[in-house]
Amino acid sequence: MTQRVASRVAELTGARVPFVHAVVVRAESPTSARPGDDAIVLADGSLEGFVGGVCTEGSVRSAALSALTDGQAVLLRILPEDATGFPDVPGARVVTNPCLSGGAVEIFLHPEIPAALVGVVGDTPIAEAIATVGAAAGFAIDRLDGKPPAPGTTAVVIAGLGRDELGPMRAALDAGVGYVGLVASGKRGEAVLAELGLSDEERSRVRTPVGLELGAETAGEIALSVLAELVRAIRVDNLHPTADVAPVAPVQVIDPVCGMTVVVTPETPHLVVDGVEYWFCGTGCRDAYAVQVAG
């Protein structure tokens, strides 16, 4: 990893910002990229680093956004339009890029998506167990006692067992957290909800008694049931972090000259013709289109 990219990766990881790390693993001449060149691609389509010229960048941006969406790493193989004689690479995603003058580039795209952030409230054995088991399961644990959920929090579990429950629950709901779990019996849980006077929408985000019905008795078993329900909510029910940190997906369009998919960023070459804006993979396609419409 180049030093510039390594520093940026550390910064983004610490700030819990999702990104894709793109690394050139193979390059055949003529190409400007070399094995080991790397870059990061953010959710807005911006690219920092170097993995090749503008034609290669366009294919990398589009594939990286797909990797961020599905969370799956992919080997991207970029070939020129008239590619012949290049060996097959099983499992690779192959893109034919008409802008390439020759050669082929293989780039490994690895999405770095922050672990789900789970706020835990309470100074009880169950709260401790949820924090410990949750960390072992790969969640990022945030002990929330006395503070509101951070932006990007996926879930808040309140395990105070009757101590300081109303304030943290209200704060989590106001922050837009989609999963707010209260460790309580069914009777006491309903009493707490009645005291809060929740709207139907707010009530839909609350789980109480929280956790799958496993017959759990010990603190560790209760923690396991809570986290199992949370995993199901994320993996099956598509639970997302608070919406205020979700990046806006960039627009992708088709270059009218070469047919490539183009991720629209402030730097994307564009042209306005009769009040209609067109975007291009590079200045070559833009200039060719300008000549075409002028004729």
Side-chain angles (χ1 to χ4, degrees):
M1 188 184 300
T2 58
Q3 173 130 14
R4 175 187 172 190
V5 171
S7 175
R8 190 73 170 114
V9 164
E11 178 185 348
L12 293 170
T13 300
R16 295 181 48 80
V17 175
F19 64 93
V20 170
H21 185 206
V23 183
V24 178
V25 295
R26 185 166 175 263
E28 295 185 10
S29 296
T31 177
S32 56
R34 297 291 180 267
D37 288 339
D38 64 342
I40 59 171
V41 182
L42 299 176
D44 64 358
S46 59
L47 185 148
E48 303 173 23
F50 181 78
V51 286
V54 64
C55 295
T56 297
E57 280 190 1
S59 297
V60 169
R61 289 178 199 268
S62 182
L65 292 177
S66 295
L68 271 180
T69 299
D70 61 27
Q72 300 297 313
V74 62
L75 178 63
L76 176 65
R77 194 151 197 260
I78 307 174
L79 303 177
E81 188 172 30
D82 57 350
T84 57
F86 294 105
D88 291 334
V89 180
R93 173 178 173 178
V94 179
V95 174
T96 300
N97 190 321
C99 295
L100 295 181
S101 57
V105 183
E106 291 176 10
I107 301 172
F108 184 68
L109 304 175
H110 188 271
E112 298 286 352
I113 301 174
L117 182 61
V118 179
V120 178
V121 178
D123 184 18
T124 64
I126 293 176
E128 293 297 329
I130 291 172
T132 300
V133 178
F139 292 106
I141 301 299
D142 186 11
R143 301 305 293 263
L144 291 182
D145 302 284
K147 64 178 182 179
T153 297
T154 299
V156 170
V157 180
I158 300 164
L161 302 184
R163 301 179 185 86
D164 192 23
E165 295 172 329
L166 298 178
M169 183 174 290
R170 183 72 266 168
L173 291 169
D174 289 345
V177 177
Y179 180 109
V180 182
L182 175 64
V183 178
S185 66
K187 181 177 181 179
R188 191 172 68 80
E190 289 302 324
V192 171
L193 299 185
E195 189 172 351
L196 281 170
L198 305 180
S199 67
D200 291 342
E201 187 278 330
E202 290 172 332
R203 180 64 183 88
S204 70
R205 291 187 274 139
V206 176
R207 272 79 164 177
T208 186
V210 66
L212 298 181
E213 180 51 62
L214 304 177
E217 295 183 357
T218 68
E221 290 172 348
I222 293 171
L224 181 62
S225 74
V226 170
L227 293 164
E229 184 181 72
L230 180 55
V231 169
R232 185 177 65 182
I234 294 172
R235 301 299 186 191
V236 178
D237 301 331
N238 204 28
L239 174 69
H240 292 295
T242 47
D244 57 328
V245 297
V248 177
V251 174
Q252 298 190 57
V253 298
I254 302 299
D255 184 319
V257 175
C258 67
M260 281 182 55
T261 298
V262 177
V263 178
V264 177
T265 70
E267 295 78 31
T268 304
H270 67 283
L271 190 67
V272 178
V273 179
D274 295 331
V276 179
E277 195 162 15
Y278 298 88
W279 287 267
F280 304 88
C281 67
T283 55
C285 281
R286 181 197 62 193
D287 295 345
Y289 193 71
V291 172
Q292 177 184 330
V293 296

